[in-house]
């Protein structure tokens, strides 16, 4: 944009250059014809959730996958759409800023005009970007959903594109279901845009904004690492955005190689206490001091505070009292004895932050809780005790704390996020052209060049799970179906890579500086380490499976030999048995 509310904006040379950038399209989206093939009907990740989700979303659950193909692809079952009537599409950003999100608008608008110049794109002043502003509006309650339904009918929208993370797209699924039930012609499409990187599942490989956030943060972290190595007397505690999951912290660690990272998922899995984490950091500092290294850089995800069992339980008590309108000044006196003892143990600045009202999803205001300062405080106390006891022989401990959040989310988007968002915008048009409602725009094979990306769509309900947790030994509480944030997989390849290098990172100071964002040249096409090391092309595998099944059907036809038929029956019986066992033991149904 070259103006703000009519006032000319002075653009830098780089901004002017980036405004001329034209992202590439994969072959399947080129031209004015939409070629779509519908795959098998979808189910839920955990088979035991399917019935619950189907009851909540009778009109939009169990729909098929959609794959989009290039004009020259030989797909006999593909539906070819050549007529593109004038349509009206609305678009809304939900939640916080995420670099690259505006390119979804660009891609969608471009696709609309390519297929019919008379089509219209409307933007709602509701979401979290400078183009459309930011408010606290939601599309969640019955009244809000009905208001959205009324607006779509009044504006005669053929489509509504909702851009956001897990919560926003859960809302989009509910909106799609409500529209279908009300026979509203507006089709709802979701787009995975969130800097947290926690909107990941078998259909969604990456989120728009995550690549940029991690690259910008990694440069800042690397600069701090250089300063630490130069001064040789400071420990930097750096907290990173990312909400409850630690994807940003993990990716930045793999890019910049700080000495240490504490992932919330590790803490939760091992049930580490504040004391355990403090001891872990102090032991690391002591090990470095023995090598005459009295400096270092430690990364912390902002969701770490809620991963610590005793602090999480304390927050639950505080939030319960706040919901009862208990004054923050009197909450400490109404806590249970153990919670009160923990609350009084914490430094005053943290107490004040824990008393902040929770977010709409009942989580703490994580960006406002200075976990880095809390841990620096506790570590300093423990190091001083060890110094006094003679068990620590390093220099005086000095901590410097940072929170890297807002610096990155307002950045110019990386080349990957520019391309990814732009292509997703085009996919949104293809979904609407195919008449699909309640679908997510998906692109897989993302670690490869754009011309090898696979574009498609998956029902949002197929990404949902149902949380179950025990309230008492005789009952199991079941939550509403929703898309839940994906946490760092402690059995995944990215985490394995971290563990393989953890000791070297801690002791050898092998700091790595990826430098500032590159828009051209050798570093421009670099992608997230976590994206590249994981083999995530689920949609590609689904397609390959279908090809194998089709080939079996071609070979094993009535009239084939007895030997071929017997072999097919034997193999299929074995495969069916194995898959049945694997499906019935799915981890998704386990109590949380």
């Amino acid at each position: 944009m070259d103006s703000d509310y009519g006032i000319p904006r002075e653009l830098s040379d780089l901004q002017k250059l980036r405004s001329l950038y034209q992202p590439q399209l994969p072959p399947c989206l080129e031209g004015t014809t939409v070629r779509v093939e519908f795959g098998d009907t979808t189910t839920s990740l955990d088979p035991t959730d399917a019935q619950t989700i189907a009851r909540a979303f009778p009109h939009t659950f169990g729909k098929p996958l959609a794959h989009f193909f290039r004009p020259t692809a030989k797909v006999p079952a593909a539906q070819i759409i050549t007529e593109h009537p004038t349509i009206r599409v609305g678009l809304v950003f939900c939640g916080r800023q995420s670099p690259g999100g505006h390119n979804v608008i660009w891609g969608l608008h471009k696709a609309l005009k390519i297929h019919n110049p008379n089509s219209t794109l409307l933007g709602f002043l509701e979401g979290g970007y400078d183009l459309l502003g930011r408010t606290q509006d939601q599309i969640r309650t019955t009244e809000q959903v009905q208001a959205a339904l009324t607006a779509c009918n009044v504006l005669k929208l053929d489509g509504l594109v909702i851009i956001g993370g897990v919560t926003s797209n859960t809302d989009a699924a509910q909106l799609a279901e409500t529209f279908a039930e009300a026979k509203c012609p507006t089709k709802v499409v979701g787009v995975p845009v969130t800097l947290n990187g926690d909107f990941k599942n078998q259909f969604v490989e990456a989120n728009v904004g995550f690549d940029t956030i991690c690259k910008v943060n990694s440069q800042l972290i690397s600069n701090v690492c250089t300063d630490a190595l130069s001064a040789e007397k400071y420990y930097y505690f750096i907290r990173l955005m990312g909400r409850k999951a630690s994807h940003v912290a993990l990716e930045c660690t793999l890019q910049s190689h700080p000495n240490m990272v504490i992932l919330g998922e590790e803490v939760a899995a091992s049930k580490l206490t504040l004391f355990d984490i403090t001891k872990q950091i102090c032991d690391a500092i002591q090990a470095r001091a023995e090598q005459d290294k009295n400096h270092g850089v430690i990364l912390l995800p902002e969701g770490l505070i809620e991963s610590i069992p005793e602090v999480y339980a304390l927050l639950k008590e505080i939030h319960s009292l706040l919901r009862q309108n208990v004054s923050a000044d009197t909450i400490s006196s109404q806590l249970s004895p153990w919670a009160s003892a923990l609350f009084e143990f914490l430094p005053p600045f943290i107490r004040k932050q824990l008393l902040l009202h929770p977010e709409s999803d009942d989580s703490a205001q994580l960006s406002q809780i200075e976990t880095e300062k809390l841990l620096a405080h506790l570590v300093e106390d423990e190091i001083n005790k060890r110094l006094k006891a003679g068990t620590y022989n390093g220099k005086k401990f000095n901590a410097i704390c940072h929170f890297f959040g807002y610096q990155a989310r307002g950045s110019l988007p990386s080349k990957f996020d520019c391309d990814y968002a732009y292509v997703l915008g085009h996919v949104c048009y293809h979904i609407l052209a195919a008449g699909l409602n309640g679908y997510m725009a998906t692109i897989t094979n993302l670690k490869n060049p754009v011309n090898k990306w696979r574009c498609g769509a998956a029902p949002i309900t197929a990404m949902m799970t149902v949380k179950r947790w025990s309230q008492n030994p005789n009952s199991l509480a079941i939550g509403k179906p929703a898309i839940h944030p994906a946490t760092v997989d402690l059995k995944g390849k990215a985490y394995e890579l971290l563990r393989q290098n953890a000791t070297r990172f801690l002791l050898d100071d092998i700091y790595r500086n990826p430098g500032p964002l590159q828009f051209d040249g050798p570093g421009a096409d670099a992608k997230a380490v976590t994206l590249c090391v994981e083999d995530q092309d689920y949609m590609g595998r689904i397609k390959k499976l279908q090809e194998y099944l089709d080939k079996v059907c071609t070979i094993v036809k009535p009239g084939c030999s007895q030997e071929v038929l017997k072999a097919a029956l034997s193999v299929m019986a074995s495969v069916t048995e194995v898959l049945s066992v694997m499906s019935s033991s799915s981890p998704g149904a386990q109590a949380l």
Side-chain angles (χ1 to χ4, degrees):
M1 293 177 66
D2 57 6
S3 67
D4 286 323
Y5 305 104
I7 302 172
R9 178 191 294 183
E10 185 176 342
L11 300 180
S12 69
D13 290 341
L14 178 61
Q15 285 176 301
K16 293 174 183 176
L17 183 65
R18 291 306 295 160
S19 69
L20 299 175
Y21 176 67
Q22 176 60 56
Q24 183 184 352
L25 278 179
C28 61
L29 301 181
E30 293 176 346
T32 56
T33 300
V34 173
R35 290 170 57 86
V36 57
E37 180 195 32
F38 295 104
D40 290 335
T41 57
T42 53
T43 185
S44 58
L45 181 65
D46 185 339
T48 60
D49 290 345
Q51 191 173 2
T52 303
I53 301 172
R55 281 198 303 267
F57 296 89
H59 298 89
T60 52
F61 181 70
K63 298 295 182 180
L65 291 177
H67 306 272
F68 299 111
F69 294 95
R70 69 180 73 189
T72 57
K74 296 180 180 179
V75 184
Q79 177 183 342
I80 303 174
I81 302 170
T82 56
E83 294 188 10
H84 301 276
T86 300
I87 61 173
R88 290 168 61 84
V89 180
L91 179 144
V92 58
F93 286 110
C94 297
R96 296 172 173 84
Q97 297 93 322
S98 192
H102 283 144
N103 277 24
V104 178
I105 300 179
W106 184 16
L108 175 55
H109 184 265
K110 186 76 172 179
L112 283 168
K113 295 303 180 181
I114 286 174
H115 292 91
N116 191 317
N118 296 318
S119 292
T120 303
L121 179 61
L122 303 174
F124 291 92
L125 296 175
E126 186 170 345
Y129 292 76
D130 66 311
L131 188 58
L132 295 177
R134 178 183 178 186
T135 72
Q136 294 185 355
D137 294 338
Q138 297 173 335
I139 314 174
R140 192 162 305 155
T141 67
T142 301
E143 294 77 13
Q144 291 165 349
V145 170
Q146 286 303 315
L149 174 61
T150 301
C152 289
N153 282 326
V154 169
L155 293 170
K156 297 180 180 179
L157 295 183
D158 300 286
L160 179 65
V161 176
I162 294 180
I163 299 172
V166 291
T167 303
S168 301
N169 280 288
T170 296
D171 296 343
Q174 185 58 63
L175 208 58
E177 180 66 27
T178 302
F179 284 13
E181 186 175 358
K183 294 182 170 53
C184 172
T186 307
K187 309 300 183 186
V188 180
V189 177
V191 186
V193 178
T194 171
L195 62 86
N196 304 324
D198 59 359
F199 192 169
K200 294 171 71 173
N201 52 48
Q202 61 270 45
F203 305 107
V204 179
E205 289 186 7
N207 308 147
V208 174
F210 179 77
D211 184 75
T212 304
I213 288 288
C214 293
K215 283 176 177 171
V216 173
N217 277 335
S218 293
Q219 186 208 358
L220 295 173
I221 293 163
S222 300
N223 294 347
V224 170
C225 288
T226 300
D227 187 75
L229 191 60
S230 175
E232 295 188 319
K233 61 179 180 180
Y234 297 118
Y235 269 92
Y236 290 90
F237 287 68
I238 301 175
R239 177 166 51 102
L240 301 171
M241 270 190 171
R243 301 297 298 161
K244 294 183 179 182
S246 305
H247 298 290
V248 174
L250 174 58
E251 176 64 32
C252 289
T253 300
L254 294 176
Q255 286 195 29
S256 59
H257 302 179
N259 299 105
M260 193 174 188
V261 61
I262 307 289
L263 301 181
E265 289 82 354
E266 291 177 312
V267 171
S270 300
K271 295 182 170 56
L272 299 180
T273 64
L274 261 179
F275 174 79
D276 294 331
I277 298 170
T278 302
K279 182 178 182 300
Q280 192 176 94
I281 296 173
C282 288
D283 289 348
I285 292 172
Q286 188 160 330
R288 287 180 57 79
E290 290 170 1
Q291 293 191 8
D292 199 26
K293 294 179 179 179
N294 297 284
H295 60 277
V297 178
I298 301 168
L299 301 191
L300 309 166
E302 67 176 353
L304 177 63
I305 194 74
E306 281 196 332
S307 301
I308 304 169
E310 73 271 27
V311 179
Y312 180 74
L314 170 61
L315 282 167
K316 285 296 155 191
E317 283 201 29
I318 291 173
H319 292 170
S320 176
L321 292 169
L322 287 173
R323 282 195 298 270
Q324 298 171 40
N325 296 317
V326 175
S327 169
D329 296 334
T330 61
I331 279 182
S332 60
S333 63
Q334 299 191 41
L335 294 170
S336 62
W338 72 266
S340 178
L342 174 59
F343 188 76
E344 293 303 321
F345 164 76
L346 297 172
F349 71 91
I350 284 290
R351 286 185 228 157
K352 184 177 180 181
Q353 293 162 7
L354 295 182
L355 292 174
L356 294 171
H357 277 269
E359 304 275 14
S360 59
D361 62 354
D362 201 37
S363 64
Q365 292 193 37
L366 297 175
S367 64
Q368 303 301 314
I369 299 177
E370 297 172 306
T371 313
E372 72 281 14
K373 291 185 179 179
L374 170 62
L375 287 175
H377 171 83
L378 297 176
V379 167
E380 183 174 16
D381 283 352
E382 175 61 22
I383 289 292
N384 287 339
K385 289 178 184 175
R386 296 186 183 191
L387 194 60
K388 191 174 181 179
T391 57
Y392 172 74
N393 298 315
K395 293 181 181 178
K396 183 180 184 297
F397 174 79
N398 293 297
I400 297 178
C401 298
H402 293 288
F403 173 42
F404 290 168
Y406 308 101
Q407 300 95 326
R409 79 180 191 194
S411 168
L412 287 176
S414 67
K415 186 173 180 293
F416 173 81
D417 279 330
C418 285
D419 294 343
Y420 185 33
Y422 181 79
V423 176
L424 282 171
H426 277 263
V427 173
C428 288
Y429 175 80
H430 278 58
I431 293 172
L432 294 173
L436 302 177
N437 178 41
Y439 274 70
M440 177 72 60
T442 63
I443 304 173
T444 58
N445 209 29
L446 287 171
K447 65 183 180 182
N448 289 305
V450 175
N451 62 3
K452 295 187 180 299
W453 286 1
R454 298 189 180 97
C455 300
I460 301 175
T461 52
M463 305 175 190
M464 290 183 164
T465 52
V466 180
K467 281 194 173 184
R468 293 168 170 82
W469 60 93
S470 299
Q471 288 187 319
N472 63 61
N474 300 316
S475 69
L476 193 66
I478 300 177
K480 293 181 179 179
I483 305 173
H484 292 103
T487 56
V488 169
D489 182 4
L490 299 183
K491 296 181 180 178
K493 293 181 180 178
Y495 181 73
E496 181 184 343
L497 183 61
L498 172 66
R499 293 271 52 88
Q500 288 172 354
N501 291 282
T503 301
R504 294 172 62 230
F505 289 175
L506 175 62
L507 299 175
D508 296 344
D509 291 352
I510 51 172
Y511 303 140
R512 177 179 181 271
N513 195 327
L517 272 181
Q518 302 295 310
F519 300 110
D520 197 11
D525 292 315
K527 295 176 182 176
V529 178
T530 48
L531 175 66
C532 294
V533 299
E534 298 289 356
D535 191 11
Q536 296 176 301
D537 188 15
Y538 184 86
M539 297 284 269
R541 290 197 186 99
I542 285 285
K543 191 65 187 163
K544 179 61 68 175
L545 174 63
Q546 189 61 56
E547 291 173 2
Y548 279 124
L549 293 175
D550 291 343
K551 187 172 288 188
V552 169
C553 291
T554 301
I555 296 172
V556 188
K557 282 187 174 181
C560 68
S561 70
Q562 285 278 14
E563 288 74 15
V564 169
L565 181 60
K566 286 179 181 178
L569 284 172
S570 175
V571 171
M572 296 304 286
S574 176
V575 169
T576 302
E577 184 178 350
V578 170
L579 295 179
S580 296
V581 172
M582 290 178 67
S583 297
S584 63
S585 61
S586 172
Q590 294 176 0
L592 299 177

